[in-house]
Structure formats: C-alpha cells, structure tokens
C-alpha cells in the first residue's frame, strides 16, 4: 500500500493509442514537424470557404438570390451579427494555435544537418500564421494577438492584446523578416505531391504539388504593407519591394492565358474559348505557372475536407456526372456583368487590321451557360480548389503599389503590355525612373509576360490598340481641365480596381480590395476631402447594402465578444 | 474541506468512544427468553425452528415438538432472529421479559423476508426470480420499479432497460447505476454505440437471470463506492452452493411472443388520393416520367396489358412482411454441492429467442463455475469463472433521427411508409407473384433520386448472414477472493478479478431491392458494410481488513481497505460502400468512401475507504464512512477534494443513523408493531464518468487530403476537471406490522448534484469548439413508498397484495452557459436547447426538470381563410420568415401555431415548454394467490404523468413527402371550411406544419400487466426426483394507456436528453412461456 502511495501520479497515468498527448508531440524530430505542418494545412482547409465568402459576398461582384441562406444574405448585406457562423474567428485561430504550438516547440537544434528544409518549414509556419492574422485583420477592426500556444483552459483567462492591421503589420513583418537568408525569403517546403482523391464524376485523380499549398513569405509581407497602406511609413514602397522580391524569387509571370473570341465567321467577336478558364477548371496543379498558392480541397468527403463553394455557385462537385444546380445561392452581379460588357475586345481581322467588339471575354470564361435552365453559373470552383494567390493577382498588387508610389505608368504597363524587356524599351508612358525600378524585367525570364487586360480583351498591345495610356487616363479625366499626378494615380487605381474585377472576380478578394483601396483613397484625397475613398466605396456598394459605407467605421466587423 | 475535517473528527471520536468502552469489558449477564412459534396460516406449532439472538448467532436454540423454545441471550438483546425452511425469516422483538413470546411464521410464498443484518441505507432486494425474463432488468422492472425506475428499451430480446435510481443525477454524464457483480464493479458500457439504429448492446444480458441469487439496490449511503456511487448501486450476486448435498436443477422452457399490432397506415386507394393531393403542391413538377401516372394512370385501373400494371396495382400490408410471431427456447442445468473442503456451483444455460421482427434473433450460451474452497482452518477462498457468449441478428429498427443522410434501412419503419400499391415480389404478366424481390421503388425519382424507398423484405433476406448484420458478445470473467481470519475479530481479504468483454458488430445494407443513394459531398452508395470490434479489459482489486467487536450493549464493525480498478475500453470500426454485390459483404480496400475510426478510453481508479458501523442494544445504529479516491480522469487542479502525492483525491463522507423504535421498552407493548425503524442519513458521492481525456491537451491524427496524415491539436486540457458531486439526505421508515402481515416502507430524500459535467464553448482564440468542465447543478427530491399486505393466509389459500410507488422532482438549479436565454410563455428564462429528433426541441432550463420538450403550442387547423386572417395581428395572417428571409403566411389548412408573444410572427420566441418526460409516479403492483401447490403471481408496472414526444407519429402524419401516412391523414384539410385537426398536405412542408409542437406530445402514462405467472409444484417424492414444478408465464398481456403510439415504454438512448422520445422501436406484444423445472 505504501508503495502504491509513493507513485500515484505514475500509477494514474494513462496511455492512449488513438491520440497523441502534448507531452508526446515535442517536435524534436523532422517527422513530428512534418505531421504538425500537415495539421496546419488541414486547419487552413477549414477556413478556406469562409475566407472566400467573407471576401467576396460583401463586394460588388456577386449577388444573392431567393435560395441564399439567411446567414449568407446577412454577410452579403454586411448586416451579419456575431451569431452568424461565417463570422466566427475560431477557424483562423485554429491555424494560429497550431502554428504557435509548432513555433514554440520546434527544436532549433535540428536545423543543423538539414538546414534548409527545417528553416523553410519554420518560416512557412510563421507565414501561415501571418496569413491567418491578415485575414482576421481584414474581417475585424481589431483582433486578439496570441503568439503562445494555448493548451490548457486556464490560459484562456489571460487577456490578449487586440490589434488592428495598423499594429499587426509591424509585428508580423518583423517576425517574418527576423530570420531571413541574406535578406531573401526561404523557398516554401516541398513534400512532393498530394492526392486529393478522384472526383465522382471523373476517372482522373486530382493532384496538387505540395509547394502550391504554401504562401510565399514575400507575397504576404507585400500584402501586409499594402493592406495597411500608410504612405508616411513607406508602405507602398515596401509593398512594391516585396511583391517584386516574390516575383524574382519564383520567376512569377503573367503568361498568355487568354479568353478569346472568334476572329472570323459569323460569330466573330463572341467568346470562343482559349486557355484562361483552364486556370480554374484544371484539377491538377502540379507545376502550373499561374498558380502561386492554393488551398486544395478533397474531391469528396471520403478524401478529406471538401468545399461548399462549388455548390453555392451552382455546380454539384460530388455527383457522379457533372451536374449543375438551379438552387445555387450566389450569382454574378449585374455590376460585374456590365463592367465586363463595357470592355472592348480587340482582335486581328487580317494583316494589321483590327476589329473591336464590346465585352471582356473573361466574363464568358468565368461562367457556365446552362441553356436548358437559361442560367449562367460561375464556374470558377468546379475544380474545388481555393486559389489564394496567382500570378495575375500578384502583378495587379504590384501595379497597385507602384501606382500609389507615384508610378502610374508601371501600373499601366502591367495592365496593358506586360512587364517585359520589350515594354521597357518601347512603352512611351514609362519614365526613366520607372524603367530603372523595373530593371528586373529586362531578364529573358519575363519575355512572355503579357498585360493582364489582354487576357480578356485580346490584342490590346497591338499597334492599333485602343487601350492606350493617354486615352484611358485622359478619357477618365476628361471632365477636368488639367490634372495632377494625384488625379492620374486615382484613375489608374480605378482601372486596377476594374481589372481586379475582370481578372479575379469570385476568388474571394473583392471586398478586401475595395476596402483597402478606399482606405488608400481616403489618405490621398484628390478632391480635397478626407472621406473621398469612403464615398467612393459607398458608391460601389450602395446598391446592395443599407449599411452606409461612407462611414469607414462600418467597413469592418467588430470582433465578436463572447 | 471544512465539512470534511469536521466529519473526520466525528468519525475518530466515535471510534474512540467505542474503543474505550471495549476496555472496561464485563462478562455478559444473560436473560432467559421463552416463546412458542406458530404457523400463521394454520395456527399449529412449528418444531425445529432456529431461534437465535439477533446480535449474536452464538446464542441459539431450536423449538421443540410443541413449538416452544427457551433461549438465554445477552441482556442487551432486543430481538431474536427466527428461521425455518419454507417460511420467511423474521426478526422478532423480545417483548416484556418473563412473558412467553408468541411468534407467527409466514410462508415463504409471501414477500417480506427479513435479514439478519440491519442496513441503514435505503435498500431493497429481490431474490432469484425464475421466469421467462432473458435479462435481469426485466425482473428489476417487475419487482422494484419504484426503487429503480426501469424502462425497457424495446421488445428486442434481451435488449434490457434503462435504469434510474432517484431521479436524474447528471446532464451529460452517465445516469446509470453502478452494477456490482459478485463484489466486482462492472462497466456496463452504457455509452458505447451500436451500429444498428434502435439497437443497444446490453452487457447485462451476458448474465443469465437463472444464475442470480439476489439483486440488491442501494439508493443512498453509497459513499463506499466513491466516485461511482452517485447514481445508486445495484448489487448482483450469483448463486453459490449452500449445502454439501449434491443437487441438480434442470429447466426447460419455451414460448411464443405474438406478432405485434402496428400503427394503422393508409391502404392503396387512400394512399393514391394522398399522392394526388401532395403532387399538386410540388413546384415545377415534370410529370413525364412517372410510370404510375403515364403508363398506367393510377387514378383509373388502366389496361392490364400495360407492363407496369401489376407493379402499381397491389394493396400490400408491408408490416406482414416484417413482423411475425416469435418463438423462444431455453435450456438450463446446474449442479451444486461439495464437501467440507470445497463447494461448487456449476451452471450451463442456452437460450434462443426470436424477435417479433423477422431475422432478428438472440442466442446466448453461458457457463458459470463458482467455488468456495477452504484451504486452511483460517484461510478460505472464493474462486469463480464465468463465460458467456451471445449473438444476435439485427437490422435497423425504428425511425432514425436523420432521414436524409442515408437511405432508410429500417425494415420496421419501411413497412409503415412504403407505398401500399407496390409489392415485395415481382409479378409475372398474369399477375402471379414470382420469387424475385422487387427493386427499390422509383415512381417519384423525378423529384429526387434520394426519395426512393427500398424493399424491406430485401433488407431482411439479403442482409441475413453471420458476416452481415450480426452482433457477438463474449464475456469472460475470473475472480478470486482469499480471506484470512487473523483472529476472532480480524479478517483480511482480497478480491481480485479480471474481466474481458469483447463485442464485434457487423452491419450490412444490401443493394438488392435498395435504392442507390447519393451521400452529401461524397458520392453514390449502392450498399454499405460496417464492422466494429471493441474490447474492454478490467482489472479489479479490493484489499480489505475487517474488524468486528462486541461488548456489552455495543456491537461494532470497522472495515477499511484499498480498491484499485483499471478499465481499458477500445473500439475500432471500419466502413465502406459499394461492395459490388450482396454476396461479399466484407470490407476491403476496394470499397468506396471508406472510413476508419479508433477510440481508446483507459481509466484507472484508486480508492482508500474506511467504514465504521456501530450499534447499541439493537436500538441505536450509526454508520460512518469515508472514501478517498483518485482517478486518471481527475484534473490535478480540481476545486474540490485535495491534492496529495501529485494527484487529486476526491473525499466522500457519509453518516447514517438508525433508531429501532420498536425495540424501545416503551414500545414493546404495542402488539401491532413487530418492527418500526427510523433512519436518517447524509452522504456524498461522485460520478466519475468524465471523458477520459478531458484533462489533457492532445493531438489527433487527421487525414490531410487523400493520403497525407497530419497532427492537429484537437483538445485543450482542463486540468480542473473533476467528478460530479452528489449530496443526499435520506429519511427512512421501515415497519412490519400485525405479526408481519403488513409491511410499510417509506423513504424521503433530497439530493443535490453540483459540478455537473458539461461542455462549454471555448474562447475563439483557442481555435477549438468546446471543452469539458464542471458547472451547473440540479436537485432531485422525492420518495419511495412500499406497502405489502397478506390478504389471505390459510392452509390452502394464500394471497398477498403489494403496491410500490416512486416519485421524484428533478430541477435544474444552475447552468454552465448562463448567458443563453430562452422564452417560456413569453418570459425570458436562462437555459439552452438541444436538437434531439428535431430542431432545438429539448430544453434545459433553470427551475425546470432536465430535458423538457420545448416547442410550439397549437390551436388546431385554420378551417377558413377568415379564421386564418383573424389569427394574426391587425387582421392579417400569422406569418414566418423562411430560411431565405421570405415572408410566409399561415392560411386556411395550416396549423394555427399560438403566437404567444402576440407580435404576429411565429418564430422561436413563441416556443415554450410543452411537455416533461419525467413521470409523477411509477412503481409496481403485485399480487399473489396460491391454492395448495398452485400459485399465481401477478406483476403490474406503471408510470403516470410522463409526456412522450411521438417522433414516429410526427413522421407518419407530416403530410410532407411520399411516405405512406397514418390513416388519420385521410382526414386532412382539403377544402375551405373543413374542420379538422390535420393540416393540409404540402410537399416539403414549407410552413412547418409538422414542426416540433404539442401535436406530437402525448401523455405516456400507462399501467401494464407485465407478468402473470402460474406455477404448480407437482407433489413428488421419488429417490431420483426431488421436485417438479411446471409453470406458465404470460408477459405484457395488456396495457392501459391513452398513448396513440403502439407502446408508451421505450428508450431511444441512454442519454438524459433523449428521454421520452418514441422513435418507433419494436413495441411490446404479449408473450406466453411454458416451463418445467426439475430438481434431481
């Protein structure tokens, strides 16, 4: 009896073969760390839908309909309250807590011998944590900042400081840059290829390269700076620098993926196809050069976490044959459709003779026309993947930063002709300073860079192009007698906003893009008022919500307090 | 802590007092007592009756031929203990000294046997009851229902019952009593899941009731059992040999259970009219592909030459294809005997019981070998081995809570909802049935392929095989209990036991005759195979030192010891779809949508206990006990108990006092009172059914995409987690009156349970949903009363009648999630709802019992448009918002939901409490009548005042889909002005007319004739045949109830919040059993 008394804690200790106790997951071997990393990626999947829905529904590119659940309607109207499940920050903190556990337990001595691998992983965990904080900071005004892993209930009694993007940017950037490899970011880890299972309607297995499941650190730093957008702190310069760094590190190019029109015959000028839609419809992301970062979702629930997005937009991802749904809950908005219709598609009729047609072909490429039901359904989620970053988006962000730095010409080059050595040489709207900033693009790596706008509007870079710097800028400022650089920046920014809509609609960025740019517009006021951006945002969204966006206090939700 | 310290002081002081008394020991001075013992029935004297001093069997004598006895007993002796075979043992108060006592003995055909020990706890007992029961709960229900409110889960053989002692003492943890089999704590796995809907794997059914000597229920003072005692304790003792004479008992019995009657559903013509009505409400209906509409218009008889004619022109009663009259057979034999070294009891039993659902059979083989071996003069040991093997065929039974995530696979439910114009077998061109089973129906697949219903006969036929739908239990147990008599007063014993319980389950849903089903976000399933294997090992050790002493007027017993138990339960299950055909139900890698699950929940407990019993002059009794217990489930930083040796110890004290008033000298002259005792007690106990991992942070392995595996933090530890604490007061009265002809017992209790185990939502920054913690409290106040009276006691005729009743009032006094508010009758209350076979329909509200039904009140069906308009605010219709925020108005033919808050909108603010599943009174009525060797025993059980949520009826009267419906739907609202209480039918019920409301709440009170047994002891006395009894027992012969379902007694789940919900599991039907018992 005395013996048993002496070692009660050991005697009462239990072991389990179905779970791993905290004491057993000490991350002191490479295996432990990989498993924990995969656990973090699993957490990312659980916030994928929420991220897209919160980012897209409140924006001006989608609309709800009679089938939309009241929770999604509330999100779309910006009237969601704390009990709305889409407004729960829990999933993001799941990512953060699992990251915190990793970062606080990883045994730094195991860097030795496998320096690169472990360092890459370590940096990536920091980046994913920062990604989660960036999402939170785009949803809520301020959010609790936690860097210690929470493993006991008693830890929850402590109060964590709450920060907005203004404070988070410095904290997160300094964390992300504290440990760089000679000023360059580490490449993302490579665990080979992940299988997402075989969709029921197909016989082809869906696979994704593991590198694509991570977020390049430089992109995220760029995002943090541009989201804060404080010119006085050099945020635009910093954002530009880091986006450029990301492009350099991974040779990111805007390739010639086009949504094209027929150039002859009686359908001339109408949508014919092209390879732009493959960006979304392909289910295999192995080394797809447009793709920078995705959250791949399982082909069906048998294979893991699935997405609801395809069903919400009207495609039954899980049927045995490709099936579209009349009871979809999210539609493309009229605003988006008329924006698309307002573009000019340019095509070569014959030698040096160009034809023009109204409309951006990316509209058709983003939609499935279901003639039987007389419906057009957004098809960007048919492959069931959530794209976080792709080349065009990063270049558009680069354009946004360059423009705000006072280089609208660079921004226009990204939209129209693409950053390549040819553009640098011939584009007359580029200043010498622009050219020196863009020296990276002299490299032959970027020879194939095209302008983002050309992806849906055809040969706009051609000799007879109507998408010309002076015409576009001048046309938009025609009401003014003279205009300043600030005016040019403002209209260039609007062109970027439109291009974001044309290129990246429905991908979950829209509302954050609008809010970010409204904030930029508020801080540099071409019309002399301090709420120029707020009014602009209100104008964009007044058709869909009764919430006054002219009051910037209404832009973000208040962090739900339980 | 303060109370514990005070308490410890009392115990020590008490022990010290007694000890000091023992010091000044004096020689006993003896009293002479004399008396005569009579047979109460005949008045004749009884010789050979054993008479002994109650408090010391050392002083004993026998009655002489004239029935007289003379006995010298110590001066303090107030009672004698009298016994003779064939009569109930009796405690007899010694009346005035010098007078000759008269003692009347009652036949042991009567209840009311008195024991040689006086317990202060509120207990009740039941001796072996050899009848048709397959599992012990049936006997408990039929004889101790007031003490243990027992609810038989369904009529599936040996499925057992849910047992509640003294109300409901937990919200989310176990409410089931601790079962102790031959001194060893048993895990009855009440929370283990069954693969088949409506089934329960009853571990208690591995005990053959024939092997049970007695069952004792302890309702309070269960402190000795520490953190497992809060729900009361049921002690089951198996038979042991009592005599060296070799004795062989053989029993053969068998019987039949009649086919149950089922709910009335519509016939073909009624159903066709219903369909017509319903199809008119389907929007955008394309009628082009309805076979029964186009190929053969179903409104007319069409042409017989049409290939679909015979398919759609039947009038099938599907219940005939599923239910049957079932047969049961039992064979039991046991041998007992021994010599002065070893005694043994060996028994062997085999039972085969069919269910009244076809292909749902139960069989059990059990072996038990109990021995008592004397090794040395002062060292003996008990050595027991038992093994039981049971198997059952199963199918899903009743209505599952979710009708949309898988095809309906319960033959019993399908037999009610399947279209009557279809038939189970295909007909040839002339309308003659073939042997080919019909496929799943597809006559409304146009509206949705998942609407198709399977052929229940196919599930029964093609699901039948050992590797398809089968559950096997194996239980092995070995225990040894050496006991060393150190000296006259001191005994050291150790009980060691090892038990192994293995359960394997196989589930198979065939594809023949069943629809393909598309599983949400997964794919199409043609058939489904599941397999699970669980294993539990238990190690149990109880080392005990017992000291007995007697001095002068005092008698005391003190025992203390250390108990260690280790339970390790693990469960692994696999499932997969699309095996290709029904001949190969095994799970392999080639199956689609596979899933695997593993769970392991180990617990260890260590307890030290001390118990002191003291009695003075057989008049004053006191008992004090203290248990200190630690468990692997307890968090180190729990708020109660104490931290010692790096673990958390729970401390459970108990104090009981008793006063034998009838032994007081001034009461001795009251001749009518044979015995009158008052007890009062207080005790604390715990409930340690905590999730075994709740106190620890852990990671689980998660599947990332198809093939990768990650580790994710999946629990945040609560190191303050602890047991639930129950504190209970009890006041008891026991009496035996009129020469033991009338026994009246009453116990009144108040118990308060705090630290309820509950799940709380974690702060979002934790990134996880919830955690287990202790918060909330509830109370149970109630009583149990029992009256037994001998009506007739003649030589030939004997008769007795008894009534027992139990009552409790359960009330939630504190809740964890106090920020949740609900409305009750338009007032804000604190509480929360849970979705149980409905949406947010079961509420737990402070000031009310746990798990009340929470929904809408109704006031009939709007007969006219004017009525509907008048109901709303300002002369408009009542309305509601749809899930997409559209306004929907309640018009003529819709249910009139009561707008309690008067705002014109029907929404959750109009919900209120509409029912309470807890009964007001429950218990038994029993009666015995015997004539010579023929006797009849009748047992009723009853439950009064409990409400039932008739979930099955809510489906059968929903009027919202193509399921066949109850005949009451023939009375549905169809035309303006029609007065009825059944609303119009609408596809998918957009107005929610069939929502959870008082339409589905019924009074579940009942009185059931549970058992009527006739037995005749054949007067034989042959050398080779000692005794022969033939008997016949009818069970569930009739039930008085107003309940509209088929049976008001059922249990959908062991969980507290699932009480009173009728999911249409197999209803009870009458059965009759004939048996022969032979003693050789």
């Amino acid at each position: 009896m005395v013996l048993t008394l002496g070692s009660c804690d050991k005697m009462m200790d239990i072991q389990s073969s179905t779970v791993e106790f905290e004491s057993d997951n000490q991350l002191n071997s490479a295996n432990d760390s990989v498993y924990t990393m995969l656990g973090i990626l699993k957490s990312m999947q659980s916030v994928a839908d929420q991220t897209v829905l919160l980012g897209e529904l409140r924006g001006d590119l989608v609309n709800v309909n009679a089938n939309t659940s009241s929770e999604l309607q509330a999100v779309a109207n910006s009237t969601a309250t704390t009990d709305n499940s889409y407004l729960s920050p829990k999933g993001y903190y799941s990512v953060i807590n699992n990251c915190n556990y990793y970062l606080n337990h990883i045994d730094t001595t195991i860097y030795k011998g496998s320096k690169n691998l472990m360092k890459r992983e370590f940096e990536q965990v920091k980046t994913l944590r920062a990604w989660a904080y960036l999402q939170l900071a785009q949803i809520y005004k301020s959010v609790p900042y936690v860097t210690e892993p929470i493993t006991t209930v008693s830890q929850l009694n402590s109060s964590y400081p709450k920060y907005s993007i203004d404070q988070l940017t410095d904290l997160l950037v300094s964390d992300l840059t504290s440990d760089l490899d000679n000023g360059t970011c580490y490449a993302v880890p490579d665990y080979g290829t992940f299988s997402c299972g075989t969709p029921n309607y197909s016989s082809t297995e869906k696979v994704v390269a593991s590198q694509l499941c991570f977020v390049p650190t430089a992109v995220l730093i760029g995002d943090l700076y541009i989201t804060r957008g404080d010119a006085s702190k050099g945020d635009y310069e910093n954002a530009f620098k880091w986006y450029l760094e990301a492009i350099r590190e991974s040779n990111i190019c805007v390739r010639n993926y086009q949504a094209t029109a027929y150039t002859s015959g009686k359908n001339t000028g109408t949508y014919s196809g092209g390879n732009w839609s493959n960006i979304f419809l392909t289910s295999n992301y192995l080394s797809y050069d447009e793709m920078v970062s995705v959250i791949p979702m399982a082909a069906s629930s048998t294979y893991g976490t699935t997405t609801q997005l395809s069903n919400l937009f009207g495609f039954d991802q899980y049927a045995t044959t490709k099936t579209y749904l009349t009871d979809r809950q999210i539609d493309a908005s009229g605003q988006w459709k008329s924006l698309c219709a307002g573009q000019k598609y340019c095509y070569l009729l014959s030698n040096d003779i160009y034809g023009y047609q109204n409309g951006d072909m990316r509209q058709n490429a983003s939609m499935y026309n279901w003639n039987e039901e007389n419906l057009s359904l957004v098809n960007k989620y048919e492959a069931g993947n959530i794209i976080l970053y792709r080349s065009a988006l990063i270049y558009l962000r680069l354009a946004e930063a360059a423009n705000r730095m006072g280089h609208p010409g660079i921004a226009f080059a990204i939209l129209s002709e693409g950053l390549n050595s040819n553009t640098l040489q011939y584009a007359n709207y580029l200043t010498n300073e622009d050219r020196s900033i863009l020296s990276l693009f002299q490299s032959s790596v970027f020879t194939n860079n095209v302008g983002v706008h050309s992806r849906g509007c055809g040969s706009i870079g051609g000799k007879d192009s109507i998408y010309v710097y002076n015409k576009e800028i001048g046309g938009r400022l025609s009401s003014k007698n003279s205009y300043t650089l600030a005016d040019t920046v403002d209209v260039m920014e609007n062109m970027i906003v439109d291009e974001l809509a044309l290129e990246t609609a429905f991908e979950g960025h829209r509302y954050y893009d609008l809010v970010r740019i409204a904030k930029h517009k508020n801080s540099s006021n071409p019309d002399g008022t301090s709420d120029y951006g707020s009014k602009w945002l209100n104008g964009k969204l007044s058709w869909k919500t009764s919430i006054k966006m002219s009051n910037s206090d209404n832009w973000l939700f208040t962090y739900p307090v339980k | 802590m303060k109370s514990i310290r005070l308490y410890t002081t009392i115990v020590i002081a008490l022990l010290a007092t007694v000890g000091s008394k023992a010091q000044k020991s004096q020689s006993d001075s003896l009293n002479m007592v004399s008396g005569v013992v009579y047979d109460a029935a005949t008045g004749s004297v009884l010789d050979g009756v054993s008479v002994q001093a109650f408090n010391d069997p050392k002083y004993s004598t026998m009655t002489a031929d004239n029935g007289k006895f003379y006995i010298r007993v110590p001066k303090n002796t107030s009672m004698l203990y009298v016994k003779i075979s064939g009569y109930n043992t009796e405690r007899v108060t010694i009346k005035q000294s010098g007078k000759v006592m008269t003692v009347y003995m009652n036949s042991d055909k009567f209840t009311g046997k008195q024991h040689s020990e006086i317990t202060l706890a509120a207990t009740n007992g039941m001796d072996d009851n050899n009848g048709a029961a397959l599992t012990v709960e049936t006997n408990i229900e039929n004889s101790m229902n007031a003490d243990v409110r027992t609810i038989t889960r369904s009529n599936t053989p040996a499925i057992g019952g849910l047992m509640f002692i003294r109300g409901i003492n937990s919200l989310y943890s176990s409410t089931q009593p601790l079962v102790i089999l031959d001194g060893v704590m048993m895990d009855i796995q009440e929370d283990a899941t069954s693969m088949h809907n409506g089934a329960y794997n009853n571990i208690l059914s591995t005990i053959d009731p024939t092997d049970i000597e007695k069952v004792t229920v302890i309702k309070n003072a269960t402190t000795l059992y520490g953190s497992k005692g809060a729900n009361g304790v049921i002690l089951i003792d198996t038979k042991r040999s009592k005599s060296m004479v070799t004795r062989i008992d053989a029993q053969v019995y068998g019987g039949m259970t009649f086919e149950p009657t089922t709910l009335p559903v519509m016939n073909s013509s009624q159903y066709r009219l219903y369909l017509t009505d319903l199809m008119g409400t389907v929007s955008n209906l394309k009628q082009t592909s309805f076979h029964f509409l186009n190929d053969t218009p179903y409104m007319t008889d069409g042409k017989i030459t049409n290939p679909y004619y015979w398919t759609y022109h039947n009038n099938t009663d599907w219940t005939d294809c599923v239910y049957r009259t079932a047969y049961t057979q039992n064979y039991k034999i046991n041998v007992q005997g021994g010599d002065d070294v070893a005694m043994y009891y060996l028994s062997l039993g085999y039972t085969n019981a069919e269910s009244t659902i076809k292909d749902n059979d139960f069989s059990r083989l059990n072996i038990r070998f109990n021995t008592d071996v004397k090794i040395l003069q002062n060292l003996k040991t008990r050595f027991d081995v038992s093994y039981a093997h049971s198997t059952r065929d199963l199918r899903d039974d009743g209505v599952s809570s979710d009708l949309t995530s898988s095809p309906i696979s319960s033959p019993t439910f399908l037999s009610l909802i399947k279209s009557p114009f279809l038939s189970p077998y295909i007909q040839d061109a002339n309308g003659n049935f073939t042997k080919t089973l019909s496929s799943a129906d597809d006559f409304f697949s146009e509206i949705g392929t998942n609407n198709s219903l399977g052929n229940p006969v196919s599930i029964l036929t093609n699901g039948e095989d050992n590797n398809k739908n089968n559950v096997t239990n194996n239980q092995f147990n070995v225990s040894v209990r050496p006991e060393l008599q150190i000296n006259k007063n001191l005994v050291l014993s150790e009980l060691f036991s090892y038990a192994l319980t293995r359960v394997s389950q196989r589930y198979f849903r065939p594809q023949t005759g069943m629809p393909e089903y598309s599983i949400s976000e997964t794919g199409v399933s043609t058939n489904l195979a599941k397999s699970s294997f669980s294993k539990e090992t238990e190690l149990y050790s109880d080392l005990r030192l017992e000291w007995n002493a007697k001095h002068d007027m005092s008698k005391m017993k003190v025992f203390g010891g250390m108990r260690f138990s280790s339970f390790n339960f693990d469960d692994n299950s696999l499932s997969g779809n699309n095996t290709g055909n029904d001949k190969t139900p095994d799970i392999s890698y080639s199956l689609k949508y596979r899933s695997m699950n593993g769970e392991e929940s180990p617990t260890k407990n260590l307890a030290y206990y001390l118990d002191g019993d003291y009695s003075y002059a057989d008049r004053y009794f006191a008992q004090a006990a203290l248990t200190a217990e630690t468990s692997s489930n307890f968090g180190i930083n729990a708020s109660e108990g104490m931290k010692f040796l790096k673990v958390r110890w729970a401390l459970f004290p108990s104090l009981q006092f008793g006063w034998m008033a009838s032994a007081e000298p001034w009461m001795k002259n009251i001749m009518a009172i044979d015995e009158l005792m008052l007890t009062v007690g207080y005790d604390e106990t715990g409930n340690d059914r905590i999730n075994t991992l709740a106190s620890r942070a852990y990671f689980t392995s998660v599947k990332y995409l198809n093939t990768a595996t990650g580790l994710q933090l999946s629990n945040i530890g609560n190191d303050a987690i602890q047991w639930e604490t129950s504190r209970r007061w009890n006041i008891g009265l026991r009496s035996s009156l009129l020469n033991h002809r009338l026994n009246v017992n009453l116990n009144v209790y108040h118990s308060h349970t705090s630290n309820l185990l509950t799940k709380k939502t974690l702060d979002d920054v934790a990134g996880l949903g919830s955690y287990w913690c202790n918060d909330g409290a509830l109370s149970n106040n109630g009583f149990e009363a029992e009256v037994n009276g001998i009506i007739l006691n003649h030589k030939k005729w004997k008769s007795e009648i008894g009534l027992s009743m139990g009552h409790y009032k359960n009330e939630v006094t504190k809740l964890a999630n106090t920020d949740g508010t609900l409305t009750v009758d338009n007032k804000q209350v604190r509480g929360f709802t849970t979705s149980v076979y409905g949406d947010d329909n079961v509420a737990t509200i402070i000031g009310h019992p746990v798990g009340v039904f929470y929904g809408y009140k109704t006031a009939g069906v709007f007969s006219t448009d004017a009525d509907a308009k008048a109901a709303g605010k300002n002369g408009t219709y009542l309305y509601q918002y749809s899930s997409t925020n559209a306004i929907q108005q309640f018009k003529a033919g819709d249910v009139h939901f009561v707008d309690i808050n008067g705002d014109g909108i029907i929404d959750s603010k109009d919900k209120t409490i509409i029912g309470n599943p807890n009964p007001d009174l429950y218990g038994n009525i029993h009666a015995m009548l015997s004539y010579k060797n023929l006797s009849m025993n009748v047992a009723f059980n009853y439950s009064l005042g409990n409400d039932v949520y008739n979930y099955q009826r809510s489906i059968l009267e929903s009027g919202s889909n193509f399921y066949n419906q109850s005949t009451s739907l023939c009375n549905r609202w169809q035309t303006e002005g029609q007065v009825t209480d059944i609303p119009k039918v609408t596809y998918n019920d957009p107005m929610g007319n069939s929502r959870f409301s008082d339409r589905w709440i019924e009074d579940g009170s009942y009185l059931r004739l549970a058992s009527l047994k006739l037995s005749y002891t054949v007067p034989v006395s042959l050398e080779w045949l000692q005794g022969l009894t033939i008997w016949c027992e009818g069970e569930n012969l009739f039930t008085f109830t107003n309940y509209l379902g088929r049976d008001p007694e059922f249990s959908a789940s062991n969980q507290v919040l699932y009480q009173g919900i009728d999911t249409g599991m197999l209803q009870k039907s009458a059965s009759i059993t004939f048996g022969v018992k032979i003693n050789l």
Side-chain angles (χ1 to χ4, degrees), chain B residues 759-781:
Chain B
K759 264 192 166 175
K760 267 195 195 172
T761 310
L762 279 164
D763 190 300
D764 288 326
V765 295
L768 287 168
S770 56
Y771 68 107
W772 282 105
C773 68
N774 300 89
D775 203 348
L778 55 81
S779 68
N780 287 284
N781 297 315

Side-chain angles (χ1 to χ4, degrees), chain B residues 968-1012:
Chain B
S968 61
L969 261 279
C970 295
N971 193 26
R972 63 190 175 274
W973 187 94
Q974 283 173 301
T975 53
E976 172 81 4
Q978 183 185 348
V979 178
T980 173
D981 55 357
I982 305 286
K984 66 186 177 194
V985 300
T986 324
Y987 181 63
N988 272 346
D989 194 16
M991 298 309 295
N993 285 330
S994 64
R995 75 182 70 185
F996 185 75
S997 71
D998 60 11
R999 288 180 68 195
W1000 317 124
I1001 306 295
E1002 297 178 41
D1003 182 359
S1005 301
Y1006 69 91
L1007 170 68
R1008 189 197 305 280
L1009 175 54
S1011 164
L1012 188 156

